Amino acid sequence: MLTPSPTVYSVTELNNYVKGVLDRDENLKHIFVTGEISNYKAHYSGHLYMTIKDASAAVKAVMFAGNASRLRFRPENGMKVLILGTISLFPRDGSYQLYIGDMQPDGIGALSIAFEQLKEALAKEGLFSEAYKKPIPHFPQKVGVVTSETGAAVQDIFNVLQRRYPVAEIVLRPAKVQGSGAAEDVAKAICEFNDLNGADVLIVGRGGGSIEDLWAFNEEVVARAVFNSRIPVISAVGHETDYTICDFVADLRAPTPSAAAELAVPDKIELVSELLSYKRHILELTKKKINEERNKLLYIEQKEVMRNPAARIDEQRRELAYISEKLVNLSSGNLEEQKGRFSALVAKLDALSPLNVISRGFALVECNGKVVTSKNKLSVDDEITLTLSDGVVNARVTNTNEE
Amino acid sequence: MEQSYEKSLMRLEEIVKILEEGGQPLEKTLELFSEGTALIAKCGKYLDDAEKKITILGSGENNAQ
């Protein structure tokens, strides 16, 4: 009995047959697969090749460039992913493959992975470095605002700026803050302000929303525009708990748009009260100085010389009198002393007087007006005078030889 | 004026410092006092005279929230 001759397939036919079976299965057309990436390879063409595995099995997978370009994170080995794809067979190898349509990190959202990855890359590049943070001016003349003109954020910002510091001019550059092209528009707005030198400080942000709504502010193009801005940027994206890449790059992060406006300008009321306190202070200091000077004056006024100038003259007069009296005393003392010395001299002279000798019986012998003290001076018949105590007698020498 | 507002405040601080040290003659004190009050008046006027101005720049894009 003839059995139907078995169909003999070539390998190509076999693989195509099996591929057909797989391709016809509705379940395999849209299938979710979860697993871990390994043997990851990003081909220069843009296609991504990898093996998806779990603890006990593995399957080859490919993501073509078209789909891969829409990924918001960079796949890495060891990453757990959730894949939506199609199962088919790769006829050349005879192995079936998972053709990935979309993929996201399993467990944490794709966006947060993308966020972390961009954050890490930009941090490494130094975009968040404190060294690049520009100071926010204290008294800005123009405050630039980059946000949606229809949102609540712009009203909040306007209200706060108007209330706190109406001195500043507000320049709004409406920008698309979510959806496709939003990041590019925000970046462009920041560049425009810089090109026009249109503000002293920039507030860049938007009101709260989902992570997807805020996503523009996590894009690299915004980060770079903020970083390159010469004008200091205050970032104000979403609510207090929302952190975006823009917040990290900005010179100052504000928890909300209203807070950004408060950080951008000083409070006029505070400034006015500060001025008043300056006024009080310098008034007090000046009064104090005047009082000091007044006290100095008072002190001088209270001195004796200023109160009774005549007192000084009297004092001088008294002093003069004292000196003159002293002078008189000194002079008269001297006179007495001279008198004394004179009497002493007189007594001395008296003692030496020849009259005293004569009175004791001696006589003074004179010849021709000269006192004779030797017999040799005299000759016989010389006329001599003898002075005695009570008068003079004339005599003649009779002999000169006798002793 | 924004520059000179800041400068005015800096000068005010300087004046207060000099007055606090108090070593200067009375004439200089009065001079500083009148300079200070003039600066205060000028700054106050600047704050009071301010007229809020909002400029909205055109943007090429649609601005959906």
Short mmCIF file of all heavy atoms in Angstrom, two decimals, chain A residues 138-139 141 148-149 151 158 162 166-167 169-176 178 185 206 268 271 275 278-279 281-283 285-286 289, chain B residues 2 5-6 9 13 16 19-20 22 24 26 29 33 36-37 40 43-44 46-48 50 52-57 59 61-63 65:
data_model
loop_
_atom_site.label_atom_id
_atom_site.label_comp_id
_atom_site.label_asym_id
_atom_site.label_seq_id
_atom_site.Cartn_x
_atom_site.Cartn_y
_atom_site.Cartn_z
N HIS A 138 20.43 91.99 42.41
CA HIS A 138 19.55 92.41 43.51
C HIS A 138 18.39 93.29 43.03
O HIS A 138 17.29 93.20 43.55
CB HIS A 138 20.36 93.17 44.56
CG HIS A 138 21.36 92.31 45.25
ND1 HIS A 138 20.98 91.19 45.95
CD2 HIS A 138 22.70 92.40 45.35
CE1 HIS A 138 22.08 90.61 46.44
NE2 HIS A 138 23.13 91.33 46.09
N PHE A 139 18.69 94.16 42.08
CA PHE A 139 17.67 95.11 41.66
C PHE A 139 17.51 95.08 40.14
O PHE A 139 17.97 95.99 39.45
CB PHE A 139 18.04 96.52 42.13
CG PHE A 139 18.32 96.58 43.61
CD1 PHE A 139 19.62 96.66 44.08
CD2 PHE A 139 17.27 96.55 44.51
CE1 PHE A 139 19.87 96.71 45.44
CE2 PHE A 139 17.52 96.59 45.87
CZ PHE A 139 18.82 96.67 46.35
N GLN A 141 16.25 95.48 36.44
CA GLN A 141 15.41 96.49 35.78
C GLN A 141 14.39 95.79 34.89
O GLN A 141 13.26 96.22 34.78
CB GLN A 141 16.33 97.37 34.94
CG GLN A 141 15.78 98.75 34.72
CD GLN A 141 16.85 99.66 34.16
OE1 GLN A 141 17.89 99.21 33.67
NE2 GLN A 141 16.60 100.94 34.22
N SER A 148 4.38 79.59 29.17
CA SER A 148 3.19 79.68 28.33
C SER A 148 2.40 80.92 28.73
O SER A 148 2.28 81.25 29.91
CB SER A 148 2.33 78.44 28.55
OG SER A 148 1.01 78.72 28.13
N GLU A 149 1.89 81.64 27.73
CA GLU A 149 1.16 82.87 28.06
C GLU A 149 -0.25 82.57 28.54
O GLU A 149 -0.94 83.46 29.02
CB GLU A 149 1.13 83.81 26.85
CG GLU A 149 0.38 83.26 25.65
CD GLU A 149 0.48 84.19 24.45
OE1 GLU A 149 0.48 85.41 24.68
OE2 GLU A 149 0.55 83.69 23.32
N GLY A 151 -0.99 79.88 30.67
CA GLY A 151 -1.02 79.08 31.90
C GLY A 151 -1.26 79.91 33.15
O GLY A 151 -1.30 81.14 33.11
N PHE A 158 3.38 87.24 37.20
CA PHE A 158 3.04 88.66 37.04
C PHE A 158 2.56 89.26 38.37
O PHE A 158 2.96 90.35 38.75
CB PHE A 158 1.95 88.83 35.97
CG PHE A 158 2.48 88.78 34.57
CD1 PHE A 158 3.79 88.39 34.31
CD2 PHE A 158 1.66 89.13 33.49
CE1 PHE A 158 4.28 88.33 33.01
CE2 PHE A 158 2.15 89.09 32.19
CZ PHE A 158 3.44 88.68 31.95
N GLN A 162 4.45 92.23 40.30
CA GLN A 162 3.76 93.51 40.42
C GLN A 162 3.62 93.93 41.88
O GLN A 162 3.79 95.09 42.23
CB GLN A 162 2.38 93.39 39.79
CG GLN A 162 1.60 94.69 39.77
CD GLN A 162 0.43 94.62 38.82
OE1 GLN A 162 -0.14 93.55 38.60
NE2 GLN A 162 0.07 95.74 38.25
N PRO A 166 7.18 96.64 41.53
CA PRO A 166 6.63 97.21 40.29
C PRO A 166 7.66 98.05 39.54
O PRO A 166 7.42 98.46 38.41
CB PRO A 166 5.46 98.06 40.78
CG PRO A 166 5.73 98.31 42.22
CD PRO A 166 6.50 97.14 42.72
N VAL A 167 8.80 98.27 40.16
CA VAL A 167 9.86 99.05 39.53
C VAL A 167 10.37 98.35 38.26
O VAL A 167 10.75 98.99 37.29
CB VAL A 167 11.02 99.22 40.53
CG1 VAL A 167 12.13 100.04 39.93
CG2 VAL A 167 10.51 99.85 41.82
N GLU A 169 10.53 96.16 34.84
CA GLU A 169 9.72 95.90 33.65
C GLU A 169 9.69 94.39 33.43
O GLU A 169 10.70 93.71 33.62
CB GLU A 169 10.35 96.59 32.44
CG GLU A 169 9.57 96.42 31.17
CD GLU A 169 10.32 96.98 29.95
OE1 GLU A 169 11.29 97.74 30.15
OE2 GLU A 169 9.92 96.63 28.84
N ILE A 170 8.51 93.88 33.07
CA ILE A 170 8.40 92.45 32.81
C ILE A 170 8.36 92.22 31.31
O ILE A 170 7.59 92.87 30.61
CB ILE A 170 7.12 91.87 33.45
CG1 ILE A 170 7.09 92.17 34.95
CG2 ILE A 170 7.02 90.37 33.19
CD1 ILE A 170 5.74 91.86 35.59
N VAL A 171 9.22 91.33 30.84
CA VAL A 171 9.21 91.01 29.42
C VAL A 171 8.86 89.53 29.28
O VAL A 171 9.61 88.66 29.71
CB VAL A 171 10.59 91.29 28.77
CG1 VAL A 171 10.53 91.03 27.28
CG2 VAL A 171 11.03 92.72 29.06
N LEU A 172 7.70 89.27 28.70
CA LEU A 172 7.26 87.88 28.53
C LEU A 172 7.56 87.40 27.12
O LEU A 172 7.22 88.07 26.14
CB LEU A 172 5.76 87.76 28.79
CG LEU A 172 5.16 86.38 28.46
CD1 LEU A 172 5.63 85.32 29.43
CD2 LEU A 172 3.63 86.45 28.45
N ARG A 173 8.23 86.27 27.04
CA ARG A 173 8.39 85.61 25.73
C ARG A 173 7.58 84.32 25.83
O ARG A 173 8.01 83.37 26.49
CB ARG A 173 9.87 85.34 25.49
CG ARG A 173 10.20 84.25 24.47
CD ARG A 173 9.69 84.51 23.07
NE ARG A 173 10.40 83.67 22.11
CZ ARG A 173 10.08 82.40 21.82
NH1 ARG A 173 9.05 81.83 22.41
NH2 ARG A 173 10.80 81.73 20.94
N PRO A 174 6.36 84.36 25.25
CA PRO A 174 5.52 83.15 25.34
C PRO A 174 6.24 81.97 24.70
O PRO A 174 6.87 82.13 23.66
CB PRO A 174 4.26 83.53 24.54
CG PRO A 174 4.30 85.02 24.45
CD PRO A 174 5.74 85.41 24.44
N ALA A 175 6.14 80.83 25.34
CA ALA A 175 6.82 79.66 24.80
C ALA A 175 5.93 78.44 24.97
O ALA A 175 5.12 78.35 25.90
CB ALA A 175 8.15 79.45 25.50
N LYS A 176 6.11 77.53 24.06
CA LYS A 176 5.40 76.26 24.16
C LYS A 176 6.10 75.44 25.24
O LYS A 176 7.32 75.23 25.17
CB LYS A 176 5.48 75.55 22.81
CG LYS A 176 4.61 74.34 22.74
CD LYS A 176 4.66 73.72 21.35
CE LYS A 176 3.78 72.48 21.36
NZ LYS A 176 3.93 71.71 20.14
N GLN A 178 4.92 72.33 26.60
CA GLN A 178 4.78 70.87 26.59
C GLN A 178 4.42 70.38 25.21
O GLN A 178 3.98 71.16 24.36
CB GLN A 178 3.76 70.39 27.63
CG GLN A 178 2.30 70.69 27.27
CD GLN A 178 1.38 70.30 28.41
OE1 GLN A 178 1.44 70.89 29.47
NE2 GLN A 178 0.52 69.32 28.18
N ASP A 185 11.45 75.26 21.67
CA ASP A 185 10.93 76.62 21.76
C ASP A 185 11.43 77.31 23.03
O ASP A 185 11.81 78.49 23.00
CB ASP A 185 9.39 76.60 21.76
CG ASP A 185 8.81 77.97 21.47
OD1 ASP A 185 9.48 78.77 20.76
OD2 ASP A 185 7.70 78.28 21.95
N ARG A 206 7.11 76.60 34.16
CA ARG A 206 5.70 76.34 33.89
C ARG A 206 5.07 75.82 35.17
O ARG A 206 5.77 75.51 36.14
CB ARG A 206 5.52 75.33 32.78
CG ARG A 206 6.27 74.01 32.99
CD ARG A 206 5.61 72.86 32.26
NE ARG A 206 4.29 72.58 32.82
CZ ARG A 206 3.29 72.07 32.14
NH1 ARG A 206 3.43 71.78 30.88
NH2 ARG A 206 2.12 71.84 32.73
N LYS A 268 9.49 95.63 47.51
CA LYS A 268 9.50 97.10 47.61
C LYS A 268 9.23 97.56 49.04
O LYS A 268 9.86 98.50 49.54
CB LYS A 268 8.46 97.67 46.66
CG LYS A 268 8.51 99.19 46.61
CD LYS A 268 7.35 99.75 45.80
CE LYS A 268 7.06 101.15 46.29
NZ LYS A 268 5.93 101.75 45.59
N LEU A 271 12.24 97.26 51.00
CA LEU A 271 13.23 98.27 50.59
C LEU A 271 12.90 99.61 51.21
O LEU A 271 13.77 100.32 51.70
CB LEU A 271 13.26 98.40 49.07
CG LEU A 271 13.83 97.20 48.30
CD1 LEU A 271 13.80 97.48 46.81
CD2 LEU A 271 15.24 96.90 48.76
N LEU A 275 15.08 101.76 53.78
CA LEU A 275 15.46 103.17 53.59
C LEU A 275 15.12 103.98 54.83
O LEU A 275 15.89 104.82 55.28
CB LEU A 275 14.75 103.75 52.37
CG LEU A 275 15.28 103.34 51.01
CD1 LEU A 275 14.45 103.97 49.90
CD2 LEU A 275 16.75 103.75 50.86
N TYR A 278 17.53 103.38 57.53
CA TYR A 278 18.76 104.12 57.25
C TYR A 278 18.59 105.57 57.70
O TYR A 278 19.47 106.16 58.31
CB TYR A 278 19.07 104.11 55.75
CG TYR A 278 19.96 102.98 55.32
CD1 TYR A 278 19.54 102.08 54.36
CD2 TYR A 278 21.23 102.82 55.86
CE1 TYR A 278 20.36 101.03 53.95
CE2 TYR A 278 22.05 101.79 55.47
CZ TYR A 278 21.61 100.90 54.52
OH TYR A 278 22.43 99.87 54.11
N LYS A 279 17.43 106.11 57.35
CA LYS A 279 17.16 107.52 57.65
C LYS A 279 17.23 107.75 59.16
O LYS A 279 17.90 108.66 59.63
CB LYS A 279 15.78 107.88 57.12
CG LYS A 279 15.54 109.36 56.97
CD LYS A 279 14.24 109.60 56.23
CE LYS A 279 13.94 111.07 56.08
NZ LYS A 279 12.76 111.27 55.24
N HIS A 281 18.67 105.92 61.35
CA HIS A 281 20.01 105.62 61.87
C HIS A 281 20.96 106.80 61.67
O HIS A 281 21.64 107.22 62.59
CB HIS A 281 20.54 104.37 61.19
CG HIS A 281 21.71 103.75 61.88
ND1 HIS A 281 21.82 103.70 63.24
CD2 HIS A 281 22.84 103.20 61.39
CE1 HIS A 281 22.95 103.12 63.56
NE2 HIS A 281 23.60 102.82 62.46
N ILE A 282 20.99 107.34 60.45
CA ILE A 282 21.95 108.44 60.23
C ILE A 282 21.49 109.69 60.96
O ILE A 282 22.32 110.49 61.39
CB ILE A 282 22.24 108.72 58.74
CG1 ILE A 282 21.03 109.29 58.02
CG2 ILE A 282 22.76 107.51 58.02
CD1 ILE A 282 21.42 109.81 56.63
N LEU A 283 20.19 109.84 61.17
CA LEU A 283 19.71 110.98 61.96
C LEU A 283 20.21 110.85 63.40
O LEU A 283 20.73 111.81 63.98
CB LEU A 283 18.18 111.03 61.92
CG LEU A 283 17.55 112.24 62.61
CD1 LEU A 283 17.96 113.52 61.90
CD2 LEU A 283 16.04 112.12 62.63
N LEU A 285 22.77 109.11 64.47
CA LEU A 285 24.22 109.25 64.54
C LEU A 285 24.64 110.71 64.46
O LEU A 285 25.55 111.16 65.15
CB LEU A 285 24.87 108.45 63.41
CG LEU A 285 24.81 106.93 63.55
CD1 LEU A 285 25.26 106.26 62.27
CD2 LEU A 285 25.67 106.47 64.71
N THR A 286 23.94 111.46 63.62
CA THR A 286 24.28 112.88 63.47
C THR A 286 23.93 113.64 64.74
O THR A 286 24.71 114.47 65.22
CB THR A 286 23.53 113.47 62.26
OG1 THR A 286 23.82 112.67 61.13
CG2 THR A 286 23.96 114.89 62.00
N LYS A 289 26.53 113.00 67.28
CA LYS A 289 27.75 113.77 67.02
C LYS A 289 27.56 115.22 67.49
O LYS A 289 28.46 115.80 68.10
CB LYS A 289 28.05 113.71 65.52
CG LYS A 289 29.28 114.48 65.11
CD LYS A 289 30.53 113.77 65.56
CE LYS A 289 31.76 114.59 65.21
NZ LYS A 289 32.98 113.96 65.71
N GLU B 2 18.84 101.34 38.04
CA GLU B 2 18.98 100.09 38.80
C GLU B 2 20.38 99.97 39.35
O GLU B 2 20.59 99.61 40.49
CB GLU B 2 18.62 98.91 37.90
CG GLU B 2 19.46 97.67 38.07
CD GLU B 2 20.30 97.41 36.83
OE1 GLU B 2 20.31 98.29 35.95
OE2 GLU B 2 20.89 96.34 36.75
N TYR B 5 20.73 102.64 42.00
CA TYR B 5 20.01 102.30 43.23
C TYR B 5 20.92 101.45 44.12
O TYR B 5 21.07 101.72 45.31
CB TYR B 5 18.72 101.52 42.92
CG TYR B 5 17.88 101.28 44.15
CD1 TYR B 5 16.93 102.20 44.55
CD2 TYR B 5 18.07 100.14 44.93
CE1 TYR B 5 16.19 102.01 45.69
CE2 TYR B 5 17.34 99.93 46.07
CZ TYR B 5 16.40 100.86 46.44
OH TYR B 5 15.67 100.66 47.57
N GLU B 6 21.53 100.48 43.50
CA GLU B 6 22.44 99.60 44.25
C GLU B 6 23.63 100.41 44.77
O GLU B 6 24.05 100.25 45.91
CB GLU B 6 22.92 98.48 43.33
CG GLU B 6 23.55 97.33 44.07
CD GLU B 6 23.48 96.02 43.28
OE1 GLU B 6 23.08 96.06 42.11
OE2 GLU B 6 23.82 94.98 43.86
N LEU B 9 22.64 102.54 47.72
CA LEU B 9 22.57 101.76 48.95
C LEU B 9 23.97 101.50 49.51
O LEU B 9 24.19 101.59 50.71
CB LEU B 9 21.87 100.42 48.70
CG LEU B 9 20.34 100.44 48.72
CD1 LEU B 9 19.83 99.01 48.79
CD2 LEU B 9 19.79 101.24 49.88
N GLU B 13 25.43 102.71 53.14
CA GLU B 13 26.09 101.85 54.11
C GLU B 13 27.42 102.45 54.54
O GLU B 13 27.78 102.45 55.71
CB GLU B 13 26.34 100.46 53.52
CG GLU B 13 25.12 99.56 53.59
CD GLU B 13 25.29 98.29 52.77
OE1 GLU B 13 26.44 97.92 52.47
OE2 GLU B 13 24.26 97.69 52.41
N VAL B 16 26.85 105.41 56.85
CA VAL B 16 26.51 104.94 58.19
C VAL B 16 27.77 104.48 58.93
O VAL B 16 27.96 104.78 60.10
CB VAL B 16 25.46 103.81 58.12
CG1 VAL B 16 25.33 103.10 59.44
CG2 VAL B 16 24.11 104.37 57.69
N LEU B 19 29.77 107.44 60.02
CA LEU B 19 29.11 108.13 61.13
C LEU B 19 29.21 107.30 62.41
O LEU B 19 29.35 107.85 63.51
CB LEU B 19 27.63 108.38 60.80
CG LEU B 19 27.35 109.42 59.71
CD1 LEU B 19 25.86 109.56 59.47
CD2 LEU B 19 27.94 110.77 60.08
N GLU B 20 29.15 105.98 62.27
CA GLU B 20 29.25 105.12 63.45
C GLU B 20 30.63 105.20 64.09
O GLU B 20 30.76 105.18 65.30
CB GLU B 20 28.92 103.67 63.08
CG GLU B 20 27.43 103.40 63.07
CD GLU B 20 27.08 102.01 62.57
OE1 GLU B 20 27.95 101.37 61.95
OE2 GLU B 20 25.94 101.59 62.78
N GLY B 22 32.57 107.75 63.91
CA GLY B 22 32.43 109.03 64.60
C GLY B 22 33.68 109.86 64.74
O GLY B 22 33.71 110.83 65.47
N GLN B 24 35.08 111.81 62.58
CA GLN B 24 35.18 112.95 61.67
C GLN B 24 34.68 114.23 62.34
O GLN B 24 33.93 114.17 63.30
CB GLN B 24 34.38 112.65 60.39
CG GLN B 24 32.86 112.70 60.54
CD GLN B 24 32.30 111.64 61.47
OE1 GLN B 24 32.95 110.66 61.77
NE2 GLN B 24 31.10 111.88 61.97
N LEU B 26 32.59 117.74 62.96
CA LEU B 26 31.14 118.00 62.91
C LEU B 26 30.69 118.42 61.51
O LEU B 26 29.67 117.96 61.01
CB LEU B 26 30.78 119.08 63.94
CG LEU B 26 29.29 119.40 64.04
CD1 LEU B 26 28.51 118.17 64.46
CD2 LEU B 26 29.07 120.52 65.03
N THR B 29 30.30 115.52 59.42
CA THR B 29 29.11 114.78 59.85
C THR B 29 27.86 115.36 59.18
O THR B 29 27.05 114.63 58.62
CB THR B 29 28.95 114.87 61.38
OG1 THR B 29 30.10 114.35 62.00
CG2 THR B 29 27.72 114.08 61.83
N PHE B 33 25.46 113.60 56.56
CA PHE B 33 24.04 113.48 56.90
C PHE B 33 23.19 113.97 55.74
O PHE B 33 22.25 113.30 55.31
CB PHE B 33 23.73 114.29 58.16
CG PHE B 33 22.27 114.34 58.49
CD1 PHE B 33 21.62 113.22 58.99
CD2 PHE B 33 21.54 115.50 58.29
CE1 PHE B 33 20.27 113.26 59.28
CE2 PHE B 33 20.19 115.54 58.58
CZ PHE B 33 19.55 114.42 59.08
N GLY B 36 23.40 111.60 52.87
CA GLY B 36 22.61 110.39 53.17
C GLY B 36 21.12 110.61 52.97
O GLY B 36 20.46 109.82 52.31
N THR B 37 20.62 111.70 53.50
CA THR B 37 19.17 111.93 53.36
C THR B 37 18.80 112.16 51.90
O THR B 37 17.74 111.74 51.45
CB THR B 37 18.70 113.12 54.23
OG1 THR B 37 19.59 114.20 54.04
CG2 THR B 37 18.65 112.75 55.70
N ILE B 40 18.62 108.78 50.31
CA ILE B 40 17.41 108.08 50.75
C ILE B 40 16.20 108.60 49.97
O ILE B 40 15.37 107.84 49.48
CB ILE B 40 17.21 108.24 52.27
CG1 ILE B 40 18.28 107.42 53.01
CG2 ILE B 40 15.82 107.79 52.69
CD1 ILE B 40 18.42 107.77 54.47
N CYS B 43 16.36 107.26 46.39
CA CYS B 43 15.98 105.84 46.31
C CYS B 43 14.47 105.68 46.52
O CYS B 43 13.81 104.90 45.82
CB CYS B 43 16.72 105.02 47.36
SG CYS B 43 18.47 104.85 47.02
N GLY B 44 13.94 106.39 47.49
CA GLY B 44 12.51 106.31 47.78
C GLY B 44 11.68 106.74 46.59
O GLY B 44 10.69 106.11 46.22
N TYR B 46 12.63 106.65 43.50
CA TYR B 46 12.76 105.64 42.46
C TYR B 46 11.74 104.52 42.68
O TYR B 46 11.08 104.08 41.74
CB TYR B 46 14.18 105.07 42.46
CG TYR B 46 14.38 103.88 41.55
CD1 TYR B 46 14.30 104.02 40.18
CD2 TYR B 46 14.65 102.61 42.08
CE1 TYR B 46 14.48 102.94 39.34
CE2 TYR B 46 14.84 101.53 41.25
CZ TYR B 46 14.75 101.69 39.88
OH TYR B 46 14.93 100.62 39.06
N LEU B 47 11.61 104.09 43.92
CA LEU B 47 10.66 103.01 44.22
C LEU B 47 9.22 103.47 44.01
O LEU B 47 8.37 102.71 43.56
CB LEU B 47 10.86 102.51 45.66
CG LEU B 47 12.19 101.81 45.95
CD1 LEU B 47 12.30 101.45 47.41
CD2 LEU B 47 12.34 100.56 45.10
N ASP B 48 8.96 104.73 44.37
CA ASP B 48 7.58 105.23 44.28
C ASP B 48 7.16 105.51 42.85
O ASP B 48 6.01 105.28 42.47
CB ASP B 48 7.43 106.51 45.10
CG ASP B 48 7.50 106.19 46.59
OD1 ASP B 48 7.29 105.01 46.93
OD2 ASP B 48 7.77 107.11 47.39
N ALA B 50 8.00 104.11 40.19
CA ALA B 50 8.02 102.98 39.28
C ALA B 50 6.65 102.71 38.67
O ALA B 50 5.64 102.70 39.35
CB ALA B 50 8.48 101.74 40.02
N LYS B 52 4.79 99.95 36.46
CA LYS B 52 4.92 98.58 35.97
C LYS B 52 4.66 98.52 34.48
O LYS B 52 3.72 99.10 33.97
CB LYS B 52 3.91 97.69 36.70
CG LYS B 52 4.06 96.21 36.35
CD LYS B 52 3.10 95.44 37.21
CE LYS B 52 2.46 94.32 36.44
NZ LYS B 52 3.15 93.07 36.46
N LYS B 53 5.51 97.82 33.82
CA LYS B 53 5.40 97.73 32.38
C LYS B 53 5.56 96.27 32.00
O LYS B 53 6.47 95.60 32.45
CB LYS B 53 6.52 98.55 31.75
CG LYS B 53 6.15 99.16 30.43
CD LYS B 53 7.12 100.26 30.05
CE LYS B 53 8.38 99.71 29.44
NZ LYS B 53 9.36 100.74 29.09
N ILE B 54 4.63 95.78 31.18
CA ILE B 54 4.75 94.40 30.72
C ILE B 54 4.88 94.40 29.21
O ILE B 54 4.06 94.99 28.51
CB ILE B 54 3.53 93.56 31.14
CG1 ILE B 54 3.43 93.52 32.67
CG2 ILE B 54 3.65 92.14 30.59
CD1 ILE B 54 2.25 92.73 33.18
N THR B 55 5.93 93.79 28.75
CA THR B 55 6.12 93.67 27.31
C THR B 55 5.95 92.20 26.95
O THR B 55 6.50 91.33 27.61
CB THR B 55 7.55 94.11 26.93
OG1 THR B 55 7.80 95.37 27.52
CG2 THR B 55 7.70 94.18 25.44
N ILE B 56 5.13 91.96 25.95
CA ILE B 56 5.00 90.58 25.49
C ILE B 56 5.63 90.47 24.11
O ILE B 56 5.22 91.14 23.17
CB ILE B 56 3.52 90.14 25.48
CG1 ILE B 56 2.98 90.23 26.90
CG2 ILE B 56 3.38 88.72 24.92
CD1 ILE B 56 1.57 89.77 27.08
N LEU B 57 6.67 89.67 24.05
CA LEU B 57 7.37 89.51 22.79
C LEU B 57 6.61 88.52 21.92
O LEU B 57 5.98 87.59 22.42
CB LEU B 57 8.79 88.97 23.04
CG LEU B 57 9.68 89.85 23.92
CD1 LEU B 57 10.98 89.11 24.20
CD2 LEU B 57 9.95 91.18 23.26
N SER B 59 6.20 85.36 19.49
CA SER B 59 6.95 84.14 19.27
C SER B 59 6.35 83.46 18.07
O SER B 59 5.15 83.53 17.82
CB SER B 59 6.88 83.23 20.49
OG SER B 59 5.70 82.46 20.43
N GLU B 61 5.94 80.42 17.43
CA GLU B 61 5.27 79.14 17.65
C GLU B 61 3.86 79.37 18.21
O GLU B 61 3.52 80.44 18.67
CB GLU B 61 6.07 78.32 18.67
CG GLU B 61 7.55 78.43 18.52
CD GLU B 61 8.11 77.51 17.45
OE1 GLU B 61 7.51 76.46 17.23
OE2 GLU B 61 9.11 77.87 16.82
N ASN B 62 3.07 78.30 18.17
CA ASN B 62 1.81 78.36 18.91
C ASN B 62 2.16 78.05 20.36
O ASN B 62 3.14 77.38 20.66
CB ASN B 62 0.77 77.38 18.36
CG ASN B 62 1.24 75.96 18.49
OD1 ASN B 62 2.43 75.70 18.38
ND2 ASN B 62 0.32 75.04 18.74
N ASN B 63 1.37 78.58 21.25
CA ASN B 63 1.79 78.54 22.65
C ASN B 63 0.84 77.76 23.53
O ASN B 63 0.42 78.22 24.58
CB ASN B 63 1.93 79.95 23.17
CG ASN B 63 2.96 80.70 22.36
OD1 ASN B 63 4.09 80.25 22.24
ND2 ASN B 63 2.55 81.80 21.78
N GLN B 65 -0.56 75.37 26.22
CA GLN B 65 -0.05 75.01 27.56
C GLN B 65 0.30 73.55 27.58
O GLN B 65 -0.50 72.72 27.20
CB GLN B 65 -1.13 75.30 28.60
CG GLN B 65 -0.91 74.63 29.95
CD GLN B 65 0.14 75.35 30.79
OE1 GLN B 65 0.72 76.32 30.35
NE2 GLN B 65 0.37 74.86 31.98
#
